[in-house]
Amino acid sequence: MECKKIKTVHGSIETPALLPVSAASYGIWDLWIEKKFPAPWDLAQGTVLSLYHILQYNKKDEIREKGIHRVLKTKKPVVIDSGGFQFMKKNVELEEEFVLRYQEESGCDIGITFDYPILSDLSPGEKKKRIEKSIYNSNLALKLRNNRKMLLYSAVHGHNAVDIKNYLESLDSGFDGYAVGSLVPKKRDYRTLISVVSAARNEKSLHVFGITGFPALFALSYMGVKTFDSWTYVVAAAFKEYIDPGTLKRIKLRKVKKLPECDCFICRDYGLNDFLEGTSEAEILLSLHNLNVFLKEMKYIREKIEDNELESYVLKKGEKNASIKKAFLIAKEYI
Ligand SMILES: [Zn+2]
């Protein structure tokens, strides 16, 4: 298995990569957009934004007119997801043509089609209907696309290998990649997660939505998944949780007296008491530490893949974290 790159107008993404989700419309993001702190999209190789968050943001027209890169003040790749998952929760649908044009005009590097994620408790009829609508949108986007520089990924949904295979067969060819969703409720059901992702593997780039626990990150990277999106770093920070760089588990800051060692640039200057303050700044500092742990691990994963040592590296990590070992051994069965 070799390390590959995704080439975009704003440079290459070395894979596997974790792209932090930037929510734009929430308070702390403004401090990042104003560059008061190092921004997640500059620390990582790029970022993912959801159209759901963008459309609530006061800069939504500016993004369309001037481009997302000007607004974020970044030269790195930007992915704009349709936000299908968040719109589902609000019972809102967008037209695929609107989504595609917004993505193209904002100058994002990768656009993902408007999808209708499926939940486990849906009736078979409802599930089928939602899958058909997602497939329809994907194929429509292929026909309507104007900007060939923007990579177009089709969202893909299913809770088992057969559904995923059928879904992929219903898609026209011409997508630059595929983004597998509807897996968040399965994120700790490693066998289902891994069998679904295994069924989605093909020669195009594969993105997996919303799966960012380290056990899954290691296992899915081993399986060849190219990109992940995550806002665990900022969600954990909102709950005052610090990711332990050694065990990769979350620590509740209010329950500890001392933090484990971390050599990241945040922990060089800040510590437990700074993270515990009830301010946006504290939340940002803690988020940045958490993101640093993710990015460092992803860098190790790429290096270990390159050196053909990923397996021994992950099994070593698995000695301190049983879930890491469990997920990895399942992934091995599929490779
Ligand atoms: Zn740190």
Side-chain angles (χ1 to χ4, degrees):
M1 190 170 54
E2 50 186 308
C3 226
K4 288 228 176 85
K5 288 178 182 173
I6 298 172
K7 290 199 177 102
T8 79
V9 176
H10 290 87
S12 296
I13 301 170
E14 306 244 358
T15 64
L18 181 129
L19 304 174
V21 172
S22 303
S25 56
Y26 298 162
I28 59 169
W29 297 97
D30 289 325
L31 296 174
W32 269 318
I33 288 169
E34 292 161 17
K35 297 271 164 141
K36 297 261 166 70
F37 293 90
W41 46 89
D42 288 330
L43 294 174
Q45 297 189 68
T47 188
V48 177
L49 283 97
S50 159
L51 197 51
Y52 175 79
H53 292 126
I54 292 176
L55 293 180
Q56 296 175 54
Y57 186 42
N58 58 16
K59 290 189 166 69
K60 66 175 192 282
D61 297 324
E62 194 183 333
I63 290 174
R64 197 167 185 161
E65 286 153 19
K66 296 185 180 165
I68 184 67
H69 292 86
R70 291 250 316 256
V71 172
L72 295 182
K73 304 182 192 82
T74 184
K75 293 193 162 70
K76 293 200 176 177
V78 175
V79 180
I80 296 187
D81 170 41
S82 64
F85 184 70
Q86 291 97 357
F87 283 113
M88 170 184 74
K89 292 198 258 177
K90 301 282 173 192
N91 241 327
V92 174
E93 297 184 19
L94 297 183
E95 292 289 332
E96 177 54 44
E97 184 164 13
F98 168 81
V99 171
L100 180 71
R101 294 295 169 246
Y102 192 98
Q103 290 165 331
E104 290 185 333
E105 286 166 27
S106 72
C108 73
D109 299 275
I110 301 176
I112 305 175
T113 54
F114 189 81
D115 53 343
Y116 296 80
I118 48 171
L119 299 172
S120 308
D121 55 4
L122 285 179
S123 70
E126 184 60 24
K127 203 165 134 181
K128 186 164 172 266
K129 215 164 83 188
R130 294 181 69 82
I131 286 181
E132 282 170 0
K133 290 204 283 187
S134 298
I135 292 170
Y136 174 83
N137 276 351
S138 293
N139 289 337
L140 182 65
L142 263 188
K143 289 191 193 83
L144 294 177
R145 76 194 287 203
N146 285 334
N147 176 0
R148 298 270 157 183
K149 287 182 182 164
M150 183 187 85
L151 302 179
L152 182 64
Y153 280 28
S154 171
V156 176
H157 295 276
H159 284 161
N160 59 61
V162 174
D163 285 356
I164 291 283
K165 294 273 184 214
N166 289 339
Y167 195 115
L168 288 171
E169 279 171 18
S170 306
L171 291 175
D172 295 335
S173 60
F175 292 102
D176 301 294
Y178 298 93
V180 188
S182 297
L183 293 175
V184 174
K186 311 278 180 195
K187 65 184 174 187
R188 286 194 186 82
D189 174 359
Y190 299 126
R191 187 160 292 279
T192 301
L193 177 68
I194 287 165
S195 71
V196 165
V197 171
S198 175
R201 276 156 35 107
N202 59 58
E203 75 285 359
K204 296 287 174 69
S205 291
L206 203 60
H207 177 84
V208 174
F209 279 119
I211 302 294
T212 56
F214 285 100
L217 278 182
F218 287 124
L220 299 182
S221 294
Y222 177 74
M223 296 179 73
V225 171
K226 298 293 183 227
T227 46
F228 303 91
D229 59 282
S230 170
W231 70 352
T232 301
Y233 68 108
V234 63
V235 173
F239 287 102
K240 294 289 181 205
E241 291 177 345
Y242 171 100
I243 299 176
D244 181 334
T247 62
L248 303 178
K249 290 178 180 167
R250 296 198 208 174
I251 294 173
K252 292 195 188 308
L253 288 182
R254 292 195 182 93
K255 292 196 173 160
V256 294
K257 295 219 162 51
K258 196 172 170 287
L259 288 178
E261 291 279 309
C262 175
D263 60 4
C264 89
F265 73 90
I266 292 293
C267 298
R268 266 201 311 261
D269 295 334
Y270 302 94
L272 183 58
N273 291 334
D274 303 301
F275 297 144
L276 277 172
E277 284 192 31
T279 59
S280 300
E281 285 76 9
E283 205 170 311
I284 286 183
L285 295 172
L286 185 51
S287 303
L288 290 174
H289 155 80
N290 288 339
L291 181 61
N292 284 333
V293 176
F294 274 111
L295 296 178
K296 195 170 166 184
E297 277 309 312
M298 293 310 295
K299 188 164 174 276
Y300 283 141
I301 291 176
R302 290 192 295 274
E303 286 170 7
K304 298 296 171 189
I305 290 174
E306 193 67 31
D307 299 341
N308 221 351
E309 287 172 356
L310 184 62
E311 180 168 352
S312 54
Y313 178 72
V314 176
L315 291 176
K316 183 103 186 98
K317 285 277 173 193
E319 288 170 10
K320 288 185 200 159
N321 185 327
S323 301
I324 287 179
K325 186 175 175 189
K326 184 180 165 195
F328 187 76
L329 292 180
I330 296 172
K332 267 196 76 151
E333 293 173 26
Y334 286 84
I335 298 294

